[in-house]
Amino acid sequence: MPGRGKTSWTLAELLAADFPEPKWVVPGLLPVGLAHLGGRPKLGKSWLALQLAVAVGAGGYFLNRKVERGGVLYIALEDSPRRLADRLRKMGATPSEAVRFETDWPPLDLRDVDGTRPGYTALATLAYSGQVRLIIIDTLARAFGKRDWNDVADATGALGDLQRLALEAECCIL
C-alpha cells in the first residue's frame, strides 16, 4: 500500500500515487488513528465519549452519522462503575457485550524492571486482536505516569506510540 513503508517522496511521486481512502469510525468525523477530545472541565466531554462508545457498540448513530458496529474499550480512569452505570441509564443505553469498561489500567508509560510497559502492552494486545474499533481513554493525563503535557517533546513522545498503535491496528484511540 502506498505510504505504508515509503518515507521519502518527490513531488511527482506524491502526485502520481494512488492512496486509499481513509477508514472511519464515525464517517467524515472520526478516522482510524489517534484523536483528541479536549475542552475545559465540565463541558460534557465524558458524556460525549460515552455516547460515542454506545453508538459504536450498537452500530447506531452518533451526531446524526451512521456508525458501523464494533467492539469498544472504554478506559474510565475518573469514574466509578456506579457513576458510569448511572450515566448510561440516563442516556437510555441498552446492554451490549460489545462495549467493555475498565476503571483501572496500568499507566501506559510505566516500565517494569525488565523494561516492559504492562499498560501499553495490554492495550496493544487488545488493539491488535481486531476485537475493538474504538478505544477511549478518559483521561489521557491519568493514563500516563508523570508527564509534562506543556512540554511538546514529552507530549509528542507519549502520543506517538498511541498514534502508531491506532494506525497499525486500524482502530481509533480517542
Side-chain angles (χ1 to χ4, degrees):
M1 169 178 358
R4 276 284 172 156
K6 189 170 173 67
T7 60
S8 178
W9 301 78
T10 66
L11 174 59
E13 289 172 328
L14 275 174
L15 294 175
D18 183 26
F19 296 103
E21 288 298 314
K23 294 180 180 177
W24 298 94
V25 173
V26 178
L29 184 65
L30 192 61
V32 161
L34 181 65
H36 183 83
L37 175 61
R40 284 183 259 162
K42 305 300 175 198
L43 289 179
K45 298 178 299 293
S46 293
W47 282 92
L48 188 65
L50 274 175
Q51 290 170 353
L52 173 61
V54 169
V56 171
Y61 284 84
F62 180 74
L63 301 178
N64 294 321
R65 297 165 194 254
K66 178 73 174 136
V67 296
E68 182 181 325
R69 185 179 191 277
V72 178
L73 171 64
Y74 193 113
I75 302 174
L77 300 175
E78 292 189 335
D79 288 321
S80 68
R82 178 188 177 103
R83 185 174 187 197
L84 288 167
D86 183 55
R87 286 182 169 196
L88 291 162
R89 284 187 195 101
K90 286 179 181 175
M91 288 172 34
T94 56
S96 170
E97 298 296 320
V99 183
R100 182 174 123 205
F101 291 91
E102 295 286 342
T103 56
D104 187 36
W105 197 269
L108 296 175
D109 58 349
L110 185 67
R111 293 186 184 273
D112 279 347
V113 291
D114 63 358
T116 61
R117 296 182 297 169
Y120 179 82
T121 300
L123 191 70
T125 299
L126 182 63
Y128 287 126
S129 76
Q131 296 176 28
V132 293
R133 296 189 69 233
L134 175 64
I135 297 170
I136 297 172
I137 303 171
D138 187 9
T139 68
L140 192 61
R142 292 214 181 204
F144 283 90
K146 305 262 186 215
R147 284 272 173 192
D148 180 359
W149 293 103
N150 293 316
D151 180 323
V152 173
D154 203 20
T156 301
L159 299 177
D161 285 344
L162 290 179
Q163 181 183 29
R164 276 187 297 282
L165 173 61
L167 291 171
E168 289 174 3
E170 296 189 347
C171 66
C172 177
I173 299 177
L174 177 69

PDB file of all heavy atoms in Angstrom, residues 159-172:
ATOM      1  N   LEU A 159       2.291  10.484  22.863  1.00  0.00           N
ATOM      2  CA  LEU A 159       1.216  10.299  21.892  1.00  0.00           C
ATOM      3  C   LEU A 159       1.667   9.569  20.634  1.00  0.00           C
ATOM      4  O   LEU A 159       0.849   8.926  19.976  1.00  0.00           O
ATOM      5  CB  LEU A 159       0.610  11.656  21.534  1.00  0.00           C
ATOM      6  CG  LEU A 159      -0.017  12.400  22.704  1.00  0.00           C
ATOM      7  CD1 LEU A 159      -0.517  13.763  22.259  1.00  0.00           C
ATOM      8  CD2 LEU A 159      -1.130  11.591  23.341  1.00  0.00           C
ATOM      9  N   GLY A 160       2.959   9.633  20.322  1.00  0.00           N
ATOM     10  CA  GLY A 160       3.467   8.954  19.133  1.00  0.00           C
ATOM     11  C   GLY A 160       3.228   7.457  19.156  1.00  0.00           C
ATOM     12  O   GLY A 160       2.826   6.867  18.149  1.00  0.00           O
ATOM     13  N   ASP A 161       3.464   6.833  20.294  1.00  0.00           N
ATOM     14  CA  ASP A 161       3.228   5.386  20.405  1.00  0.00           C
ATOM     15  C   ASP A 161       1.756   5.053  20.200  1.00  0.00           C
ATOM     16  O   ASP A 161       1.412   4.072  19.549  1.00  0.00           O
ATOM     17  CB  ASP A 161       3.672   4.872  21.775  1.00  0.00           C
ATOM     18  CG  ASP A 161       5.179   4.774  21.913  1.00  0.00           C
ATOM     19  OD1 ASP A 161       5.886   4.816  20.888  1.00  0.00           O
ATOM     20  OD2 ASP A 161       5.655   4.655  23.063  1.00  0.00           O
ATOM     21  N   LEU A 162       0.868   5.864  20.768  1.00  0.00           N
ATOM     22  CA  LEU A 162      -0.568   5.617  20.605  1.00  0.00           C
ATOM     23  C   LEU A 162      -0.997   5.808  19.162  1.00  0.00           C
ATOM     24  O   LEU A 162      -1.826   5.047  18.642  1.00  0.00           O
ATOM     25  CB  LEU A 162      -1.380   6.531  21.527  1.00  0.00           C
ATOM     26  CG  LEU A 162      -1.287   6.242  23.018  1.00  0.00           C
ATOM     27  CD1 LEU A 162      -2.129   7.247  23.801  1.00  0.00           C
ATOM     28  CD2 LEU A 162      -1.726   4.818  23.337  1.00  0.00           C
ATOM     29  N   GLN A 163      -0.446   6.814  18.496  1.00  0.00           N
ATOM     30  CA  GLN A 163      -0.792   7.044  17.098  1.00  0.00           C
ATOM     31  C   GLN A 163      -0.363   5.865  16.224  1.00  0.00           C
ATOM     32  O   GLN A 163      -1.130   5.375  15.399  1.00  0.00           O
ATOM     33  CB  GLN A 163      -0.152   8.330  16.582  1.00  0.00           C
ATOM     34  CG  GLN A 163      -0.510   8.622  15.129  1.00  0.00           C
ATOM     35  CD  GLN A 163       0.179   9.845  14.591  1.00  0.00           C
ATOM     36  OE1 GLN A 163       1.283  10.192  15.023  1.00  0.00           O
ATOM     37  NE2 GLN A 163      -0.456  10.514  13.665  1.00  0.00           N
ATOM     38  N   ARG A 164       0.873   5.408  16.408  1.00  0.00           N
ATOM     39  CA  ARG A 164       1.354   4.249  15.636  1.00  0.00           C
ATOM     40  C   ARG A 164       0.493   3.025  15.887  1.00  0.00           C
ATOM     41  O   ARG A 164       0.111   2.318  14.961  1.00  0.00           O
ATOM     42  CB  ARG A 164       2.812   3.946  15.980  1.00  0.00           C
ATOM     43  CG  ARG A 164       3.818   4.773  15.206  1.00  0.00           C
ATOM     44  CD  ARG A 164       5.251   4.327  15.458  1.00  0.00           C
ATOM     45  NE  ARG A 164       5.666   4.492  16.848  1.00  0.00           N
ATOM     46  CZ  ARG A 164       6.018   5.657  17.387  1.00  0.00           C
ATOM     47  NH1 ARG A 164       6.008   6.743  16.668  1.00  0.00           N
ATOM     48  NH2 ARG A 164       6.387   5.729  18.646  1.00  0.00           N
ATOM     49  N   LEU A 165       0.164   2.794  17.160  1.00  0.00           N
ATOM     50  CA  LEU A 165      -0.664   1.644  17.513  1.00  0.00           C
ATOM     51  C   LEU A 165      -2.019   1.719  16.819  1.00  0.00           C
ATOM     52  O   LEU A 165      -2.473   0.744  16.217  1.00  0.00           O
ATOM     53  CB  LEU A 165      -0.849   1.578  19.040  1.00  0.00           C
ATOM     54  CG  LEU A 165      -1.834   0.534  19.560  1.00  0.00           C
ATOM     55  CD1 LEU A 165      -1.401  -0.871  19.166  1.00  0.00           C
ATOM     56  CD2 LEU A 165      -1.966   0.663  21.074  1.00  0.00           C
ATOM     57  N   ALA A 166      -2.672   2.862  16.899  1.00  0.00           N
ATOM     58  CA  ALA A 166      -4.002   3.006  16.289  1.00  0.00           C
ATOM     59  C   ALA A 166      -3.955   2.789  14.780  1.00  0.00           C
ATOM     60  O   ALA A 166      -4.820   2.099  14.218  1.00  0.00           O
ATOM     61  CB  ALA A 166      -4.573   4.382  16.620  1.00  0.00           C
ATOM     62  N   LEU A 167      -2.955   3.351  14.128  1.00  0.00           N
ATOM     63  CA  LEU A 167      -2.857   3.197  12.673  1.00  0.00           C
ATOM     64  C   LEU A 167      -2.548   1.758  12.279  1.00  0.00           C
ATOM     65  O   LEU A 167      -3.155   1.217  11.356  1.00  0.00           O
ATOM     66  CB  LEU A 167      -1.801   4.150  12.109  1.00  0.00           C
ATOM     67  CG  LEU A 167      -2.170   5.634  12.167  1.00  0.00           C
ATOM     68  CD1 LEU A 167      -0.974   6.494  11.778  1.00  0.00           C
ATOM     69  CD2 LEU A 167      -3.372   5.928  11.290  1.00  0.00           C
ATOM     70  N   GLU A 168      -1.611   1.141  12.976  1.00  0.00           N
ATOM     71  CA  GLU A 168      -1.241  -0.241  12.647  1.00  0.00           C
ATOM     72  C   GLU A 168      -2.376  -1.217  12.940  1.00  0.00           C
ATOM     73  O   GLU A 168      -2.598  -2.164  12.190  1.00  0.00           O
ATOM     74  CB  GLU A 168       0.010  -0.650  13.420  1.00  0.00           C
ATOM     75  CG  GLU A 168       1.271   0.029  12.936  1.00  0.00           C
ATOM     76  CD  GLU A 168       2.476  -0.274  13.808  1.00  0.00           C
ATOM     77  OE1 GLU A 168       2.361  -1.055  14.769  1.00  0.00           O
ATOM     78  OE2 GLU A 168       3.551   0.311  13.528  1.00  0.00           O
ATOM     79  N   ALA A 169      -3.113  -0.990  14.035  1.00  0.00           N
ATOM     80  CA  ALA A 169      -4.205  -1.893  14.421  1.00  0.00           C
ATOM     81  C   ALA A 169      -5.519  -1.515  13.738  1.00  0.00           C
ATOM     82  O   ALA A 169      -6.520  -2.219  13.906  1.00  0.00           O
ATOM     83  CB  ALA A 169      -4.379  -1.877  15.935  1.00  0.00           C
ATOM     84  N   GLU A 170      -5.518  -0.420  12.998  1.00  0.00           N
ATOM     85  CA  GLU A 170      -6.700   0.062  12.279  1.00  0.00           C
ATOM     86  C   GLU A 170      -7.901   0.261  13.197  1.00  0.00           C
ATOM     87  O   GLU A 170      -8.999  -0.214  12.935  1.00  0.00           O
ATOM     88  CB  GLU A 170      -7.030  -0.829  11.088  1.00  0.00           C
ATOM     89  CG  GLU A 170      -5.944  -0.808  10.030  1.00  0.00           C
ATOM     90  CD  GLU A 170      -6.344  -1.505   8.743  1.00  0.00           C
ATOM     91  OE1 GLU A 170      -7.356  -2.231   8.708  1.00  0.00           O
ATOM     92  OE2 GLU A 170      -5.611  -1.319   7.756  1.00  0.00           O
ATOM     93  N   CYS A 171      -7.632   0.986  14.288  1.00  0.00           N
ATOM     94  CA  CYS A 171      -8.706   1.362  15.199  1.00  0.00           C
ATOM     95  C   CYS A 171      -8.546   2.848  15.508  1.00  0.00           C
ATOM     96  O   CYS A 171      -7.600   3.471  15.041  1.00  0.00           O
ATOM     97  CB  CYS A 171      -8.668   0.536  16.483  1.00  0.00           C
ATOM     98  SG  CYS A 171      -7.219   0.814  17.532  1.00  0.00           S
ATOM     99  N   CYS A 172      -9.470   3.396  16.256  1.00  0.00           N
ATOM    100  CA  CYS A 172      -9.351   4.774  16.682  1.00  0.00           C
ATOM    101  C   CYS A 172      -9.089   4.780  18.185  1.00  0.00           C
ATOM    102  O   CYS A 172      -9.774   4.081  18.938  1.00  0.00           O
ATOM    103  CB  CYS A 172     -10.626   5.549  16.386  1.00  0.00           C
ATOM    104  SG  CYS A 172     -10.570   7.254  16.989  1.00  0.00           S
TER     105      CYS A 172
END
